[in-house]
């Protein structure tokens, strides 16, 4: 049974605080910051997808996985944007309970998918460095599609019980969420008298069996990569080979460090101020979609060259159009 505040339209609603204890001036400043992050996330990931699609030389396994990462980041941005900007721009702080569970489900699915894609990209780098002659034979388009479907099925199935486990709980007058979006630990703590041990254990099992295992295999992949690179002998060749992994390593750190920090805070940080948990949650869900395209645009030479070619082509197109117009005059 759910007993929460009722909206004017009827039904149960939850109250999203946003950032606790913040003045209106700081509230507006953060609203501009969030808007900037969302703008970078949308434009950056759309640019990455456009460039990979329009550049035949980028139709390789590594860039197919990068396209997956860009799609995942775009979906994550769309999941958190409505409620986050709703709070900071329009002061809309209520969300229906079912809508909250839906948002929570998709946020966690996308988080698991991002972890899976980062693991697939680590495997891609391992095959490219350790088996360069068989690289394209191992990671064919069919294989990549199968990997993508397997990642999606794993995320959907592993998280499917969570909304139903939350539905069975009773919720009382306390309906305040500590973020501007719905996440499982936050909603779970609103239960008034029910035992939430099952929810805690299942959430722990899911995160360990998905992101936990992914992180272990990513580390293992890089151990094998380093061993392969060391066996190459020449220092210049070693650094050149490892340089192809820098973008991916940065993306792994940007995703996993905030995720591990947030998990630790939710499970062991009872005395941690609420604002710390809130800020880490924003970093975990909003920062990676904005930083990933920036990282790959700066550190990936093929992507950087493709962006420059696109910009030069646009500039030449405009110049030629102006020349034709002047000649016509």
């Amino acid at each position: 049974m759910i007993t929460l505040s009722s909206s004017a339209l009827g039904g149960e609603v939850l109250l999203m605080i946003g950032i606790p204890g913040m003045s209106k001036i700081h509230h507006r400043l953060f609203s501009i910051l969030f808007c900037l992050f969302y703008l970078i996330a949308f434009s950056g990931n759309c640019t990455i997808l456009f460039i990979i699609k329009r550049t035949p030389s980028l139709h390789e396994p590594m860039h197919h996985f990068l396209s997956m990462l860009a799609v995942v980041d775009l979906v994550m941005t769309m999941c958190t944007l409505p409620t986050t900007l709703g709070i900071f721009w329009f002061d809309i702080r209520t969300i229906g309970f079912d809508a909250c569970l839906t948002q929570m489900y998709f946020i966690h699915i996308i988080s698991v998918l991002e972890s899976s894609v980062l693991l697939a990209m680590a495997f891609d780098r391992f095959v490219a460095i350790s088996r360069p002659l068989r690289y394209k034979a191992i990671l064919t388009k069919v294989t990549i599609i199968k990997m993508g479907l397997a990642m999606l099925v794993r995320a959907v199935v592993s998280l499917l019980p969570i909304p139903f486990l939350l539905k069975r709980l009773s919720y009382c007058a306390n309906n305040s969420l500590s973020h501007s979006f719905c996440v499982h630990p936050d909603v779970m703590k609103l239960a008034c008298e029910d035992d939430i041990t099952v929810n805690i254990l299942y959430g722990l099992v899911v995160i360990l069996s998905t992101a936990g295992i992914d992180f272990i295999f990513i580390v293992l992949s890089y151990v094998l990569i380093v061993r392969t690179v060391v066996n190459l002998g020449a220092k210049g060749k070693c650094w050149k080979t490892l340089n192809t992994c820098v973008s991916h390593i940065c993306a792994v750190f940007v995703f996993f460090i905030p995720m591990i920090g947030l998990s630790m805070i939710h499970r062991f940080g009872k005395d941690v101020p609420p604002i710390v948990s809130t800020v880490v949650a924003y970093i975990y869900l909003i920062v990676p979609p904005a930083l990933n395209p920036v990282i790959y645009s700066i550190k990936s030479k093929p992507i950087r060259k493709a962006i420059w070619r696109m910009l030069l082509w646009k500039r030449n197109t405009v110049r030629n159009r102006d020349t034709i117009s002047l000649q016509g005059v």
Side-chain angles (χ1 to χ4, degrees):
M1 180 181 178
I2 303 170
T3 308
L4 296 170
S5 302
S6 297
S7 65
L9 300 176
E12 301 81 13
V13 298
L14 299 173
L15 179 66
M16 295 176 293
I17 296 176
I19 299 180
M22 179 165 291
S23 65
K24 288 187 177 180
I25 296 176
H26 291 97
H27 205 269
R28 289 300 177 190
L29 289 174
F30 269 89
S31 68
I32 296 171
L33 180 63
F34 286 134
C35 193
L36 179 63
F37 270 111
Y38 282 124
L39 183 62
I40 294 172
F42 271 114
S43 59
N45 288 295
C46 287
T47 300
I48 293 288
L49 290 171
F50 177 79
I51 286 173
I52 291 175
K53 183 179 179 181
R54 294 292 298 271
T55 309
S57 62
L58 297 181
H59 295 174
E60 297 179 349
M62 178 178 68
H63 297 106
H64 290 318
F65 288 123
L66 179 56
S67 297
M68 289 185 187
L69 184 65
V71 171
V72 168
D73 285 338
L74 280 173
V75 177
M76 176 63 84
T77 301
M78 289 186 284
C79 285
T80 59
L81 182 144
T83 50
T84 301
L85 293 189
I87 288 176
F88 287 98
W89 282 102
F90 306 107
D91 202 31
I92 301 173
R93 297 180 176 273
T94 57
I95 183 173
F97 185 74
D98 290 334
C100 180
L101 292 185
T102 302
Q103 185 192 44
M104 176 208 69
Y105 182 58
F106 279 102
I107 284 176
H108 288 301
I109 282 180
I110 299 305
S111 296
V112 173
L113 277 175
E114 181 140 2
S115 171
S116 303
V117 172
L118 290 172
L119 173 59
M121 295 173 84
F123 177 69
D124 167 84
R125 291 297 82 209
F126 167 70
V127 174
I129 293 171
S130 302
R131 304 287 186 273
L133 299 178
R134 299 190 59 208
Y135 175 54
K136 291 186 179 180
I138 294 173
L139 290 174
T140 62
K141 287 186 178 181
V142 175
T143 302
I144 293 171
I145 291 171
K146 288 180 179 179
M147 290 173 67
L149 290 174
M151 290 185 285
L152 181 60
V153 170
R154 182 183 76 152
V156 171
V157 172
S158 63
L159 291 161
L160 189 60
I162 286 183
F164 298 101
L165 288 174
L166 290 172
K167 273 275 193 180
R168 70 185 179 87
L169 301 175
S170 300
Y171 299 88
C172 304
N174 179 23
N175 66 334
S176 298
L177 298 170
S178 56
H179 309 302
S180 60
F181 35 74
C182 298
V183 290
H184 178 241
D186 212 16
V187 178
M188 177 179 64
K189 290 176 182 177
L190 298 181
C192 41
E193 296 179 357
D194 293 332
D195 185 6
I196 60 172
T197 304
V198 174
N199 297 70
I200 294 172
L201 291 177
Y202 188 77
L204 186 61
V205 167
V206 168
I207 196 168
L208 290 177
S209 62
T210 55
I213 289 178
D214 291 346
F215 184 73
I216 291 171
F217 277 108
I218 289 171
V219 173
L220 178 61
S221 297
Y222 274 102
V223 170
L224 296 174
I225 287 171
V226 170
R227 190 178 71 174
T228 302
V229 169
V230 169
N231 291 335
L232 292 175
K235 289 185 178 180
K237 196 172 183 180
C238 290
W239 285 113
K240 186 177 179 181
T241 304
L242 285 176
N243 193 48
T244 63
C245 304
V246 172
S247 302
H248 178 255
I249 293 171
C250 292
V252 168
F253 283 142
V254 166
F255 175 76
F256 277 101
I257 289 177
M259 186 203 70
I260 293 171
L262 187 62
S263 299
M264 294 297 102
I265 289 171
H266 277 148
R267 281 165 177 80
F268 308 110
K270 293 182 180 180
D271 298 326
V272 174
I275 192 169
V276 175
S277 172
T278 303
V279 170
V280 174
Y282 283 124
I283 294 172
Y284 169 49
L285 295 177
I286 295 177
V287 173
L291 281 188
N292 285 338
V294 175
I295 290 169
Y296 275 92
S297 298
I298 294 173
K299 299 300 297 181
S300 176
K301 192 174 181 179
I303 295 291
R304 192 168 65 247
K305 282 185 174 181
I307 291 174
W308 278 113
R309 280 198 300 268
M310 183 184 71
L311 293 174
L312 289 173
W313 176 81
K314 284 187 175 182
R315 189 176 69 177
N316 291 334
T317 301
V318 172
R319 184 183 298 170
N320 292 336
R321 189 183 303 158
D322 293 341
T323 302
I324 293 171
S325 299
L326 289 171
Q327 288 176 351
V329 173

PDB file of all heavy atoms in Angstrom, residues 113-132:
ATOM      1  N   LEU A 113      24.059  -0.320 -18.971  1.00  0.00           N
ATOM      2  CA  LEU A 113      24.470  -0.344 -20.374  1.00  0.00           C
ATOM      3  C   LEU A 113      25.794   0.389 -20.584  1.00  0.00           C
ATOM      4  O   LEU A 113      26.654  -0.066 -21.338  1.00  0.00           O
ATOM      5  CB  LEU A 113      23.379   0.279 -21.251  1.00  0.00           C
ATOM      6  CG  LEU A 113      22.224  -0.629 -21.660  1.00  0.00           C
ATOM      7  CD1 LEU A 113      21.168   0.171 -22.412  1.00  0.00           C
ATOM      8  CD2 LEU A 113      22.716  -1.788 -22.516  1.00  0.00           C
ATOM      9  N   GLU A 114      25.953   1.531 -19.920  1.00  0.00           N
ATOM     10  CA  GLU A 114      27.204   2.283 -20.072  1.00  0.00           C
ATOM     11  C   GLU A 114      28.380   1.480 -19.546  1.00  0.00           C
ATOM     12  O   GLU A 114      29.451   1.446 -20.165  1.00  0.00           O
ATOM     13  CB  GLU A 114      27.117   3.631 -19.360  1.00  0.00           C
ATOM     14  CG  GLU A 114      28.364   4.464 -19.496  1.00  0.00           C
ATOM     15  CD  GLU A 114      28.092   5.945 -19.702  1.00  0.00           C
ATOM     16  OE1 GLU A 114      26.913   6.339 -19.710  1.00  0.00           O
ATOM     17  OE2 GLU A 114      29.052   6.704 -19.859  1.00  0.00           O
ATOM     18  N   SER A 115      28.180   0.812 -18.417  1.00  0.00           N
ATOM     19  CA  SER A 115      29.221  -0.046 -17.872  1.00  0.00           C
ATOM     20  C   SER A 115      29.562  -1.167 -18.854  1.00  0.00           C
ATOM     21  O   SER A 115      30.739  -1.478 -19.087  1.00  0.00           O
ATOM     22  CB  SER A 115      28.751  -0.633 -16.536  1.00  0.00           C
ATOM     23  OG  SER A 115      29.635  -1.616 -16.068  1.00  0.00           O
ATOM     24  N   SER A 116      28.530  -1.757 -19.464  1.00  0.00           N
ATOM     25  CA  SER A 116      28.742  -2.852 -20.422  1.00  0.00           C
ATOM     26  C   SER A 116      29.478  -2.375 -21.663  1.00  0.00           C
ATOM     27  O   SER A 116      30.367  -3.068 -22.176  1.00  0.00           O
ATOM     28  CB  SER A 116      27.389  -3.452 -20.823  1.00  0.00           C
ATOM     29  OG  SER A 116      26.672  -3.909 -19.705  1.00  0.00           O
ATOM     30  N   VAL A 117      29.106  -1.191 -22.171  1.00  0.00           N
ATOM     31  CA  VAL A 117      29.762  -0.657 -23.368  1.00  0.00           C
ATOM     32  C   VAL A 117      31.233  -0.354 -23.078  1.00  0.00           C
ATOM     33  O   VAL A 117      32.109  -0.615 -23.916  1.00  0.00           O
ATOM     34  CB  VAL A 117      29.034   0.606 -23.874  1.00  0.00           C
ATOM     35  CG1 VAL A 117      29.818   1.266 -24.999  1.00  0.00           C
ATOM     36  CG2 VAL A 117      27.634   0.252 -24.354  1.00  0.00           C
ATOM     37  N   LEU A 118      31.524   0.171 -21.899  1.00  0.00           N
ATOM     38  CA  LEU A 118      32.920   0.441 -21.535  1.00  0.00           C
ATOM     39  C   LEU A 118      33.729  -0.860 -21.471  1.00  0.00           C
ATOM     40  O   LEU A 118      34.906  -0.889 -21.856  1.00  0.00           O
ATOM     41  CB  LEU A 118      32.990   1.182 -20.208  1.00  0.00           C
ATOM     42  CG  LEU A 118      32.496   2.636 -20.236  1.00  0.00           C
ATOM     43  CD1 LEU A 118      32.431   3.212 -18.830  1.00  0.00           C
ATOM     44  CD2 LEU A 118      33.397   3.505 -21.116  1.00  0.00           C
ATOM     45  N   LEU A 119      33.094  -1.941 -20.998  1.00  0.00           N
ATOM     46  CA  LEU A 119      33.768  -3.244 -21.000  1.00  0.00           C
ATOM     47  C   LEU A 119      33.999  -3.717 -22.431  1.00  0.00           C
ATOM     48  O   LEU A 119      35.093  -4.220 -22.764  1.00  0.00           O
ATOM     49  CB  LEU A 119      32.927  -4.275 -20.239  1.00  0.00           C
ATOM     50  CG  LEU A 119      33.425  -5.726 -20.311  1.00  0.00           C
ATOM     51  CD1 LEU A 119      34.834  -5.851 -19.751  1.00  0.00           C
ATOM     52  CD2 LEU A 119      32.452  -6.652 -19.576  1.00  0.00           C
ATOM     53  N   ALA A 120      32.998  -3.567 -23.296  1.00  0.00           N
ATOM     54  CA  ALA A 120      33.151  -3.970 -24.700  1.00  0.00           C
ATOM     55  C   ALA A 120      34.269  -3.183 -25.375  1.00  0.00           C
ATOM     56  O   ALA A 120      35.038  -3.726 -26.185  1.00  0.00           O
ATOM     57  CB  ALA A 120      31.823  -3.763 -25.442  1.00  0.00           C
ATOM     58  N   MET A 121      34.387  -1.902 -25.037  1.00  0.00           N
ATOM     59  CA  MET A 121      35.450  -1.077 -25.608  1.00  0.00           C
ATOM     60  C   MET A 121      36.825  -1.516 -25.099  1.00  0.00           C
ATOM     61  O   MET A 121      37.828  -1.446 -25.837  1.00  0.00           O
ATOM     62  CB  MET A 121      35.195   0.401 -25.282  1.00  0.00           C
ATOM     63  CG  MET A 121      33.930   0.948 -25.930  1.00  0.00           C
ATOM     64  SD  MET A 121      33.521   2.618 -25.408  1.00  0.00           S
ATOM     65  CE  MET A 121      34.559   3.571 -26.515  1.00  0.00           C
ATOM     66  N   ALA A 122      36.887  -1.965 -23.851  1.00  0.00           N
ATOM     67  CA  ALA A 122      38.151  -2.493 -23.317  1.00  0.00           C
ATOM     68  C   ALA A 122      38.535  -3.778 -24.050  1.00  0.00           C
ATOM     69  O   ALA A 122      39.714  -3.987 -24.392  1.00  0.00           O
ATOM     70  CB  ALA A 122      38.015  -2.755 -21.815  1.00  0.00           C
ATOM     71  N   PHE A 123      37.549  -4.626 -24.315  1.00  0.00           N
ATOM     72  CA  PHE A 123      37.800  -5.857 -25.073  1.00  0.00           C
ATOM     73  C   PHE A 123      38.254  -5.521 -26.488  1.00  0.00           C
ATOM     74  O   PHE A 123      39.160  -6.163 -27.037  1.00  0.00           O
ATOM     75  CB  PHE A 123      36.530  -6.711 -25.110  1.00  0.00           C
ATOM     76  CG  PHE A 123      36.657  -7.962 -25.926  1.00  0.00           C
ATOM     77  CD1 PHE A 123      37.459  -9.011 -25.502  1.00  0.00           C
ATOM     78  CD2 PHE A 123      35.983  -8.083 -27.135  1.00  0.00           C
ATOM     79  CE1 PHE A 123      37.587 -10.174 -26.265  1.00  0.00           C
ATOM     80  CE2 PHE A 123      36.102  -9.230 -27.900  1.00  0.00           C
ATOM     81  CZ  PHE A 123      36.904 -10.277 -27.468  1.00  0.00           C
ATOM     82  N   ASP A 124      37.645  -4.500 -27.069  1.00  0.00           N
ATOM     83  CA  ASP A 124      38.037  -4.041 -28.409  1.00  0.00           C
ATOM     84  C   ASP A 124      39.507  -3.618 -28.430  1.00  0.00           C
ATOM     85  O   ASP A 124      40.254  -3.984 -29.338  1.00  0.00           O
ATOM     86  CB  ASP A 124      37.137  -2.879 -28.825  1.00  0.00           C
ATOM     87  CG  ASP A 124      37.666  -2.137 -30.034  1.00  0.00           C
ATOM     88  OD1 ASP A 124      37.407  -2.583 -31.162  1.00  0.00           O
ATOM     89  OD2 ASP A 124      38.345  -1.103 -29.850  1.00  0.00           O
ATOM     90  N   ARG A 125      39.941  -2.850 -27.433  1.00  0.00           N
ATOM     91  CA  ARG A 125      41.339  -2.402 -27.377  1.00  0.00           C
ATOM     92  C   ARG A 125      42.280  -3.597 -27.173  1.00  0.00           C
ATOM     93  O   ARG A 125      43.381  -3.627 -27.729  1.00  0.00           O
ATOM     94  CB  ARG A 125      41.523  -1.393 -26.240  1.00  0.00           C
ATOM     95  CG  ARG A 125      40.862  -0.049 -26.443  1.00  0.00           C
ATOM     96  CD  ARG A 125      41.435   0.698 -27.633  1.00  0.00           C
ATOM     97  NE  ARG A 125      40.830   0.247 -28.902  1.00  0.00           N
ATOM     98  CZ  ARG A 125      41.441   0.274 -30.072  1.00  0.00           C
ATOM     99  NH1 ARG A 125      42.669   0.696 -30.181  1.00  0.00           N
ATOM    100  NH2 ARG A 125      40.835  -0.145 -31.158  1.00  0.00           N
ATOM    101  N   PHE A 126      41.844  -4.567 -26.361  1.00  0.00           N
ATOM    102  CA  PHE A 126      42.681  -5.752 -26.131  1.00  0.00           C
ATOM    103  C   PHE A 126      42.876  -6.541 -27.424  1.00  0.00           C
ATOM    104  O   PHE A 126      43.999  -6.939 -27.760  1.00  0.00           O
ATOM    105  CB  PHE A 126      42.040  -6.640 -25.068  1.00  0.00           C
ATOM    106  CG  PHE A 126      42.645  -8.012 -24.980  1.00  0.00           C
ATOM    107  CD1 PHE A 126      43.926  -8.192 -24.492  1.00  0.00           C
ATOM    108  CD2 PHE A 126      41.935  -9.129 -25.416  1.00  0.00           C
ATOM    109  CE1 PHE A 126      44.499  -9.455 -24.433  1.00  0.00           C
ATOM    110  CE2 PHE A 126      42.492 -10.387 -25.352  1.00  0.00           C
ATOM    111  CZ  PHE A 126      43.779 -10.556 -24.863  1.00  0.00           C
ATOM    112  N   VAL A 127      41.783  -6.754 -28.176  1.00  0.00           N
ATOM    113  CA  VAL A 127      41.885  -7.508 -29.434  1.00  0.00           C
ATOM    114  C   VAL A 127      42.722  -6.733 -30.445  1.00  0.00           C
ATOM    115  O   VAL A 127      43.556  -7.307 -31.146  1.00  0.00           O
ATOM    116  CB  VAL A 127      40.476  -7.799 -29.998  1.00  0.00           C
ATOM    117  CG1 VAL A 127      40.579  -8.457 -31.371  1.00  0.00           C
ATOM    118  CG2 VAL A 127      39.689  -8.698 -29.054  1.00  0.00           C
ATOM    119  N   ALA A 128      42.513  -5.400 -30.526  1.00  0.00           N
ATOM    120  CA  ALA A 128      43.246  -4.586 -31.502  1.00  0.00           C
ATOM    121  C   ALA A 128      44.746  -4.604 -31.238  1.00  0.00           C
ATOM    122  O   ALA A 128      45.549  -4.580 -32.185  1.00  0.00           O
ATOM    123  CB  ALA A 128      42.723  -3.148 -31.464  1.00  0.00           C
ATOM    124  N   ILE A 129      45.148  -4.652 -29.970  1.00  0.00           N
ATOM    125  CA  ILE A 129      46.572  -4.606 -29.613  1.00  0.00           C
ATOM    126  C   ILE A 129      47.198  -6.001 -29.596  1.00  0.00           C
ATOM    127  O   ILE A 129      48.328  -6.197 -30.043  1.00  0.00           O
ATOM    128  CB  ILE A 129      46.757  -3.901 -28.259  1.00  0.00           C
ATOM    129  CG1 ILE A 129      46.372  -2.418 -28.398  1.00  0.00           C
ATOM    130  CG2 ILE A 129      48.190  -4.039 -27.751  1.00  0.00           C
ATOM    131  CD1 ILE A 129      46.298  -1.671 -27.089  1.00  0.00           C
ATOM    132  N   SER A 130      46.437  -6.982 -29.090  1.00  0.00           N
ATOM    133  CA  SER A 130      46.992  -8.334 -28.943  1.00  0.00           C
ATOM    134  C   SER A 130      46.838  -9.182 -30.201  1.00  0.00           C
ATOM    135  O   SER A 130      47.666 -10.054 -30.468  1.00  0.00           O
ATOM    136  CB  SER A 130      46.315  -9.045 -27.763  1.00  0.00           C
ATOM    137  OG  SER A 130      46.484  -8.327 -26.572  1.00  0.00           O
ATOM    138  N   ARG A 131      45.777  -8.946 -30.964  1.00  0.00           N
ATOM    139  CA  ARG A 131      45.522  -9.732 -32.181  1.00  0.00           C
ATOM    140  C   ARG A 131      45.231  -8.788 -33.352  1.00  0.00           C
ATOM    141  O   ARG A 131      44.155  -8.826 -33.941  1.00  0.00           O
ATOM    142  CB  ARG A 131      44.326 -10.680 -31.975  1.00  0.00           C
ATOM    143  CG  ARG A 131      44.438 -11.627 -30.805  1.00  0.00           C
ATOM    144  CD  ARG A 131      45.443 -12.758 -31.086  1.00  0.00           C
ATOM    145  NE  ARG A 131      45.414 -13.734 -30.005  1.00  0.00           N
ATOM    146  CZ  ARG A 131      46.126 -13.662 -28.906  1.00  0.00           C
ATOM    147  NH1 ARG A 131      46.939 -12.619 -28.728  1.00  0.00           N
ATOM    148  NH2 ARG A 131      46.070 -14.606 -27.992  1.00  0.00           N
ATOM    149  N   PRO A 132      46.176  -7.918 -33.714  1.00  0.00           N
ATOM    150  CA  PRO A 132      45.889  -6.898 -34.735  1.00  0.00           C
ATOM    151  C   PRO A 132      45.529  -7.479 -36.098  1.00  0.00           C
ATOM    152  O   PRO A 132      44.705  -6.907 -36.817  1.00  0.00           O
ATOM    153  CB  PRO A 132      47.199  -6.097 -34.803  1.00  0.00           C
ATOM    154  CG  PRO A 132      48.243  -6.994 -34.241  1.00  0.00           C
ATOM    155  CD  PRO A 132      47.556  -7.832 -33.216  1.00  0.00           C
TER     156      PRO A 132
END
